[in-house]
Structure formats: C-alpha cells, structure tokens
Amino acid sequence: MRQERLWTPTAALPVGASHPFYQRLNQILDEKKFDEYVETICEDFYAGEVGRPGLSPGIYFRLLMVGYFEGIDSERGIAWRASDSLSIRSFVRIALDEGVPDHSTISRTRRLMDVETHQAVFQWVLQVLAEKKLLKGTTIGVDATTLEANAALRSIVRRDTGERYEEFLVRLAKESGIETPTREQLAKLDRKRPKKGSNDDWTHPHDPDARIAKMKDGRTHLAHKAEHAVDMETGAIVAVTLHGADVGDTATIPETVAEAGERITGVVTDANGDEVVKQVSTDGPREVVTDKGYHSRALVSELTEWGLRTYCSEPNRGRQQWRGQQRERQAVYANRRRIRGERGLRLLRQRGEKLERWNQHLYDRGGMRRLHLRGRENILKRLVVHSGAANLGLLMRKLFGKGTPRGLWEHCRLIISAACTSIRLWSATATLLRRLGGSMARADPARIVTVAA
C-alpha cells in the first residue's frame, strides 16, 4: 500500500494547462477590472472579519458562469466540476492548496445577494459588449419559453383546504357514494372532472411560484416562463424576465420591453466614450419583432403608443370588426403593412438565427431547461448571470471565433488533426521517393505532393 507524504511543498503541486477559452476570457475580465467591480457592488453583503470567511464575489459569479459554459444545471454539479478540473480552478481563481467551495456555500451566497446585484453584473457585461460594438439597441426581438420547475405535479395541494390531490379525489368519491374507492374508480372520477388542473385551485407547498402548464413537448408540468429580449442586429441578450407559466405572452411582453429599454439607456448613461453613445440607441429600442403568439389588438396599439414600430407576425383570424376601435385598427393595419414589406420579411426570417436559437443555447445546452432552484427570485438570479455568460460567449465568438470551451477545443482538435494528416502525407511521399531511387529521388518532393494532391 502506497503511503502518502505528510507534507507536500507548494512547488510539487500538480499544474494543469489552462484551457485556452477560459484563459482568454479571464484576460477580458481582468482588462475590464471585473473583480474590482463586483467587490464594490457586493461590499454591503460582507461583514469584514466577523464570522466565517465568505465566498469572494469574483469566484461566486465565475462559478455561475461555468454553469452556462459547461452546461451544468445544478450548483452541486458546478462545485463538483470545479473540484475535478484544473482548468476551471484556474479560471475561477482557486489555488491548488485551497478547497473548492461547497455547493451549500454557493447557494448561501446566492440567497444573501439580492436580485439587483446580479442584474448589475448583467449590466456590466452589456457595457463591455457596447464597447466592443456588439450592442445597438434599436431593434429588439422578444421570445419566451417554459422551464420545468423543481416541483412534482403529484405533490400539489388545494389552495383552500390544503388537501393533496389524492385526498381530494377520495373525498369527492365518498361524497358521490363510494365509501372505499379503488384506484380505477378514482382515475375514472378524475377523467370526468372539468378544469381539474386549474392554477386558481392548486399550488405547490414548497414552490408557490410554479404554475401548472403544458410544456413545448406536450407534457403537463409545474413550470416557470422565461422571456428574453435580443438585439436583432448583433444577437446580444439585452433583458431577461421571469413570469408565471400560466401568464400569456401579450401580458408579459410590456415588462420585458420596458426592462430592455432600461438596460439600453443605462449603457448609454454609463458610457465612458462618445463611440458608445453614437452606436447605441439613446432612447432605447425603437422596433420590436415577435412571433404570432404576441399579436393582439391591445398590445400592438399599446406598443405603438410607446413610440415603437412593431413587426409582429399576425395569425389568420379572418374578417374582423373594428367598431369603436379605430386606434387599434390603425395600429394593426400599420403592423400588417410592415411585416409584408421587404424589411419586415427579413426581420421575421432572422428570428430563428438571432432570437430563437437562444432557447437552445441558454436552456437546453446551457442546462436550465430543468430547474434545480425554487422561488422566482432565486431562479431569476441564476438566469440573469447565465444570460450574462451567454453574452460573454458572444463576445468570445467575435474575438476568437468560438463562443464555448467545447467549440474552441473542437476547433483546435481539427487544426491538430489537419497538421497530423499533412505530416503523414509528407512522410508517405518521402518513403515513396526513397523506394523509387535514381532520378525520382532527386525530384522536388513539394512538386510531387502537389501533383499527387
């Protein structure tokens, strides 16, 4: 049995090669003084030398960014990945002789910091994008998706009596004359009931913000609704909001558009140079692009009153009546003319590239389609930093061609593979020349390789 040494000098600790993606991302964060900024805005949440040492703000926010870049859904998984990878240790700035923070420390730090602090980090990322000419803010697109809540549908209870679902069915069966109902009888009774999954009657005891909703794949779950606004010219995420899954798109988009306007004007206000002021819309967004789920008379009219040009896909509703709704009629007809024009058709085609792809990057590949947090405030904190990391990935894609660590590694792997193939081809050509001998041995190898190719 091998005996471990009692003391290990620091110079003898293993040193792993830093991942090129994380190394370059840290260079950007250091250049913009990210650690100094987050320590300033988080100063009120730390009590100096009193109590147990807290988790550094720079380490905390970097760990949440790792969740997006590595596609890790839970904070427990983030802590495990950081302890397992030397390159992520280097990115997070955890020395080899230091312990990786436990997942409970990460969650405790998240609970202590408010939502505004996490949104300030997102705003800081937007400021960096504006300096790199990746933010315009004139035309935004809005889209939403459902996120499966960390709550089981079978655990819901009645809002009025607190009964569980099965207890409620048993009571209904007894009231109908069945003293000892079987499972088959309960299932038959449940099938006949109308509106049996109403959010007005049912809630989850541990996640009251979750709502019963139908997911994209047709299944029914407790869920939340995430809505994001994207700059249609650059693809940057300018705002993220979280709502109940049972709230319609036409009811949530005003808050998202207002949030996007606040973020964009905040970038202009905090700008250090005139270039940012010139390229970013000083009055916020001027055009809004959506799919047909957002189209309604009231919404199109409201956005028009805000001074916005709408490009909302219009569903086929047939002939409509406009009695007493002349303002709504003018707004809907103007929107219809715009979406049929050349610019409108181009913007609607770009939804898949600039807008809807974030559903895949943020939630499916990014690991937040199935939530591991409860409470709308806790989820929004993680989601805001998640979106900020996605914007940093957009910046990395512009500077280095790849927006994720895996993408950059695949790029490097292809380069190495091409180099190895060239070396093998040159070696095979040299071997062929040696075998031929004579005049062929004195021929130009480069010419022969060219001819062979």
Side-chain angles (χ1 to χ4, degrees), residues 242-295:
L242 193 67
H243 311 273
D246 57 339
V247 184
D249 291 342
T250 57
T252 59
I253 186 175
E255 179 182 345
T256 305
V257 173
E259 180 78 11
E262 182 180 350
R263 296 293 166 206
I264 295 171
T265 55
V267 169
V268 178
T269 303
D270 300 335
N272 296 325
D274 296 335
E275 293 185 0
V276 174
V277 177
K278 292 179 181 179
Q279 72 177 10
V280 180
S281 177
T282 57
D283 299 328
R286 300 172 186 172
E287 299 174 334
V288 179
V289 183
T290 65
D291 58 21
K292 63 179 64 178
Y294 289 91
H295 190 281

Side-chain angles (χ1 to χ4, degrees), residues 37 53 66 71 147 163 186 196 220 254 267 277 287 318 347 378 427:
Y37 173 76
V66 167
L147 310 179
E163 294 176 295
L186 292 178
K196 54 187 176 182
T220 301
V267 169
V277 177
E287 299 174 334
L347 288 175
N378 281 327
S427 177

Side-chain angles (χ1 to χ4, degrees), residues 242-384:
L242 193 67
H243 311 273
D246 57 339
V247 184
D249 291 342
T250 57
T252 59
I253 186 175
E255 179 182 345
T256 305
V257 173
E259 180 78 11
E262 182 180 350
R263 296 293 166 206
I264 295 171
T265 55
V267 169
V268 178
T269 303
D270 300 335
N272 296 325
D274 296 335
E275 293 185 0
V276 174
V277 177
K278 292 179 181 179
Q279 72 177 10
V280 180
S281 177
T282 57
D283 299 328
R286 300 172 186 172
E287 299 174 334
V288 179
V289 183
T290 65
D291 58 21
K292 63 179 64 178
Y294 289 91
H295 190 281
S296 72
R297 298 181 180 185
L299 177 63
V300 174
S301 176
E302 181 181 0
L303 294 179
T304 303
E305 289 182 354
W306 289 6
L308 298 173
R309 293 165 56 88
T310 59
Y311 292 87
C312 302
S313 296
E314 184 177 2
N316 185 13
R317 296 191 175 100
R319 188 176 180 84
Q320 304 180 53
Q321 301 294 330
W322 300 96
R323 293 178 182 177
Q325 295 181 334
Q326 294 303 317
R327 184 184 60 186
E328 289 82 355
R329 176 178 178 272
Q330 293 176 0
V332 170
Y333 280 14
N335 175 79
R336 185 180 300 172
R337 287 193 299 269
R338 284 192 291 269
I339 63 176
R340 291 177 178 178
E342 181 180 354
R343 174 173 170 77
L345 293 174
R346 184 173 68 253
L347 288 175
L348 295 180
R349 285 195 301 267
Q350 288 179 346
R351 284 206 321 262
E353 175 189 357
K354 300 289 181 63
L355 183 60
E356 295 177 359
R357 71 174 182 180
W358 284 119
N359 290 333
Q360 169 69 23
H361 288 300
L362 281 176
Y363 309 115
D364 295 325
R365 192 209 61 81
M368 286 201 69
R369 180 65 69 181
R370 173 67 167 86
L371 299 172
H372 287 260
L373 300 175
R374 288 175 176 172
R376 195 168 298 166
E377 186 173 306
N378 281 327
I379 298 171
L380 184 58
K381 291 176 183 178
R382 174 84 190 273
L383 185 58
V384 165

Side-chain angles (χ1 to χ4, degrees), residues 387-402:
S387 303
N391 280 337
L392 288 176
L394 183 68
L395 175 60
M396 292 289 291
R397 187 176 295 112
K398 177 187 177 182
L399 297 179
F400 307 109
K402 298 296 177 181

Side-chain angles (χ1 to χ4, degrees), residues 149-170:
N150 185 19
L153 192 60
R154 62 176 178 270
S155 301
I156 56 177
V157 297
R158 293 280 299 183
R159 292 183 182 270
D160 50 359
T161 62
E163 294 176 295
R164 299 185 63 180
Y165 199 81
E166 187 174 354
E167 296 173 350
F168 173 71
L169 289 180
V170 171

Side-chain angles (χ1 to χ4, degrees), residues 174-190:
K174 290 182 178 180
E175 291 177 355
S176 64
I178 306 175
E179 292 297 330
T180 56
T182 62
R183 288 183 176 271
E184 291 77 7
Q185 291 173 329
L186 292 178
K188 184 178 180 180
L189 179 65
D190 189 32

